Amino acid sequence: MPRVPEQLPIAVLVSGTGTNLKALLDTVHGHEVQVVAVASSVAGAPALQHAAARGVPTEIFPRTGYSDRGARDDALADWLGERGARLVVLAGYMELLSEAFLERFPGAVINVHPSLLPAFPGLEAIEQALAYGVKVFGVTVHFVDAGVDSGPVISQRAVELPGAREAAEVLEALRPLEHSLLGEAVRLFARGALSVDPSDPRRIVIAG
């Protein structure tokens, strides 16, 4: 992963309320990175309002608007590429990306997930954890590969919630961790501080 210049152009993919997008716009946008595009799989997603308020170009790529997922991802990748995106950040994006899309941005797609991976991948991670009866919840930021939440881990943070019963209360506790970890991962990528351990492709090395 080569060193990249200051104000790295990044794209953010969203599907929902956009709290992680807003955190990126409030912390790293205009500093280490420039958010040059925000795309959503959902028309009317509140996240798009955060982007519009900051003058960031937005577009919607619904699965139903294309013949298949591959066609949708091709169009999405084209749009992001036209805007010069060098890093793609999944911030509550509720769609799987095709291998062809990932090949357009090799080693440059990251995701934030509300569990301590590899535990509880996929949808409804918090609900999975509650059903399992865990006492410690957490957040993972990882590189995206062709699997489901299976890419190499960049960073993780945990919080003890032994009395948690509802997903909403867990999510409220995890939000600050998501915002902090995702922003820091973007900063590290922009500085060229993330690299793959040559002896273990599963391990991401963070330069001091």
Side-chain angles (χ1 to χ4, degrees):
M1 298 177 189
R3 183 171 294 278
V4 289
E6 292 184 2
Q7 290 217 342
L8 175 76
I10 74 169
V12 184
L13 306 188
V14 297
S15 294
T17 59
T19 63
N20 281 303
L21 168 62
K22 185 176 186 302
L24 291 174
L25 290 170
D26 289 344
T27 56
V28 296
H29 177 60
H31 299 282
E32 294 88 351
V33 307
Q34 193 75 18
V35 180
V36 297
V38 172
S40 178
S41 58
V42 179
L48 297 173
Q49 299 174 15
H50 297 309
R54 302 293 289 270
V56 178
T58 64
E59 189 58 87
I60 301 165
F61 293 87
R63 176 94 65 94
T64 55
Y66 300 88
S67 58
D68 55 29
R69 190 181 76 181
R72 187 273 315 272
D73 284 1
D74 285 345
L76 173 59
D78 288 344
W79 188 77
L80 300 182
E82 289 166 2
R83 276 141 193 83
R86 298 276 304 282
L87 172 68
V88 179
V89 180
L90 311 188
Y93 188 64
M94 304 304 290
E95 297 279 346
L96 293 176
L97 292 167
S98 64
E99 290 189 49
F101 179 95
L102 298 177
E103 289 170 358
R104 297 276 295 272
F105 300 92
V109 182
I110 66 175
N111 180 48
V112 59
H113 184 74
S115 81
L116 295 172
L117 294 172
F120 313 119
L123 298 175
E124 299 185 340
I126 294 173
E127 289 81 356
Q128 291 182 57
L130 285 168
Y132 200 84
V134 304
K135 308 300 182 185
V136 177
F137 299 80
V139 170
T140 302
V141 178
H142 63 96
F143 283 106
V144 177
D145 62 12
V148 177
D149 298 320
S150 57
V153 170
I154 298 171
S155 57
Q156 292 181 304
R157 194 167 299 161
V159 59
E160 294 187 16
L161 299 170
R165 294 291 184 272
E166 300 294 333
E169 64 179 303
V170 177
L171 181 60
E172 183 177 1
L174 295 185
R175 281 299 192 208
L177 306 187
E178 290 184 348
H179 299 166
S180 175
L181 284 184
L182 186 58
E184 182 59 23
V186 169
R187 289 188 188 96
L188 290 169
F189 188 99
R191 295 206 315 258
L194 301 176
S195 61
V196 177
D197 186 337
S199 65
D200 181 1
R202 293 292 314 171
R203 182 175 294 279
I204 299 299
V205 177
I206 300 176

